Amino acid sequence: MLGGIETGGSKWECAVGTGPDDLRAFETIPTTTPVETIGRAVTFFEREGPVDAIGIGSFGPVDQKVSSPSWGHVTTTPKPGWANTDVGGEFGRRLSVPVAFDTDVNAAALGEQRWGAAQGLDTFCYITIGTGIGGGGMAGGNLLHGLLHPEFGHIRIPHDTAVDPFPGACPYHGDCWEGLASGRAIEARWGQPPEALTGRDEVWELEARYLALGLVCVTCVLSPQRIVIGGGVGTAPGLLSRVRPQVVALLNGYLNAAAVGDGIGDYIVPPALGSRSGVLGAIALAEAL
Amino acid sequence: MLGGIETGGSKWECAVGTGPDDLRAFETIPTTTPVETIGRAVTFFEREGPVDAIGIGSFGPVDQKVSSPSWGHVTTTPKPGWANTDVGGEFGRRLSVPVAFDTDVNAAALGEQRWGAAQGLDTFCYITIGTGIGGGGMAGGNLLHGLLHPEFGHIRIPHDTAVDPFPGACPYHGDCWEGLASGRAIEARWGQPPEALTGRDEVWELEARYLALGLVCVTCVLSPQRIVIGGGVGTAPGLLSRVRPQVVALLNGYLNAAAVGDGIGDYIVPPALGSRSGVLGAIALAEAL
């Protein structure tokens, strides 16, 4: 029996089970202080367990390098109280089980590969478009790590200020991808949250334009076999149908691959696990231990 | 004994040996027709061999998927006469040796990892800034492949037309990275080739700005432990010293890694193998067979 946690900035999802068809227990915990939040999650696993291992897909930035002294830590997050919190180590000590620790988006990517929209692929991305923008995935069958871990949200994309004078919402970079296309950016630009803007063509065409520009960048750097788009904004009805033809137009025939060239194909897809890619992926992280 | 070939659009470099300290024979062949160019290279290996295996780092786009019916082919290149040329298969048949086939930039990346500036790293990039812009590298110890292979040159970067009204030189995308920052773009914008523009501060500051924007994108997507910059433009004296502080400024402290934060550090470096990364990497490809 395995445990999985997707830790987010506003809530944690905890589950016990072995996969999407065998989730024995599930709980959502609001993210408050580290002591309280971790304590409630530990109580959940004590009550619903025992589990043989726990996987954690964490909001970040994180240190997921197993050889590092700060392995398992959330590192430089601006979220009050959470910087330099040893999340991974705490679960290991309190539940006496092995812990796998990675980014929330790498966990979601793994979940989609194990049971969802990326089955059988070895090079692909999972990108969440929500309050922020983040990305993870695999290259050659390995989860994307490196110097740190990917930070897709902070690529710079073209920003035509004549069309969109909004200066961008990223506190670090202004008009990076996240600064222009995240849910936070949409709300700051239009004065209403994304879910209140349904049906406003100009909102979603601009959003699709920015998403397409970022996806072209990811495509040219990583050559993914598929891109899975999750998150509250990314899964808004009709959005991917607007994004796909813009990606095709931007690539302009340069990449000779039927999958990319097919504007309605299966290259850019929603997560098959819906909003549970992350917590199920955390279980898959535990399974891989 | 191993053979290596870096096939370029204007010349091929062929070598026999086992590494940088043991290059027994070397020849540069001008790229003309496929029949003539391949024929001259075969003659070189017949004369200087025998070799046990040959590695080829090829201009592209290429098909390097071993399971593919068009493995070993240069595919959609606009270079006259070369589209759909079976380069890899031809050497295998005519020299009766196993052939390893990959992109020129993946070969160069492997060469730098085997003997040069990326030794000991498992996630890094090799980017050539020359007539065009191309990139390769490794993620988790595997050369970057995927749906096709990376095409770093065609990412879209911010282009402030008030500062730089040049529309871009890429026939597919206009002002993509290659369209703004390649040697071809520099010559089209300023009316002189890069080597004639030495000492022109405005030329090289703009170039460094575009390179930095692209490198930030690569950094955020792949999180490389190091970026090796080769090519005739990329190795222009003083250029990387202009690029590094612009990368640091663009990241603006977001990535908590000393290596990236250090503006004069060893994050963005020239190739240790100079202009021979590609042909030596081709030998390393053969070695890995």
Side-chain angles (χ1 to χ4, degrees), chain A residues 60-61 65 75-76 122-123 139-142 144-159 171-173 178 209 213 216-226 249-257 259-260 267, chain B residues 60-61 65 75-76 122-123 139-142 144-159 171-173 178 209 213 216-226 249-257 259-260 267:
Chain A
K65 278 202 180 64
T75 57
T76 56
D122 67 13
T123 302
N142 298 312
L144 289 172
H145 299 135
L147 182 68
L148 300 164
H149 49 71
E151 287 284 356
F152 287 14
H154 299 278
I155 60 176
R156 304 297 171 90
I157 59 171
H159 174 202
Y172 289 90
H173 311 123
E178 175 170 300
R209 167 83 182 163
L213 283 163
V216 162
C217 172
V218 170
T219 294
C220 289
V221 174
L222 199 64
S223 196
Q225 294 152 332
R226 188 166 295 153
L250 285 165
L251 290 173
N252 195 26
Y254 184 72
L255 297 179
N256 176 32
V260 179
Y267 184 64
Chain B
K65 279 201 179 64
T75 56
T76 56
D122 66 13
T123 302
N142 297 313
L144 289 172
H145 299 134
L147 182 68
L148 298 166
H149 48 70
E151 286 285 353
F152 287 14
H154 299 278
I155 60 177
R156 303 297 171 90
I157 60 170
H159 173 202
Y172 289 89
H173 311 123
E178 175 170 300
R209 167 84 182 162
L213 284 163
V216 162
C217 172
V218 170
T219 293
C220 289
V221 174
L222 200 64
S223 197
Q225 295 152 333
R226 188 166 295 154
L250 285 166
L251 290 173
N252 195 27
Y254 184 73
L255 296 179
N256 177 32
V260 179
Y267 184 64

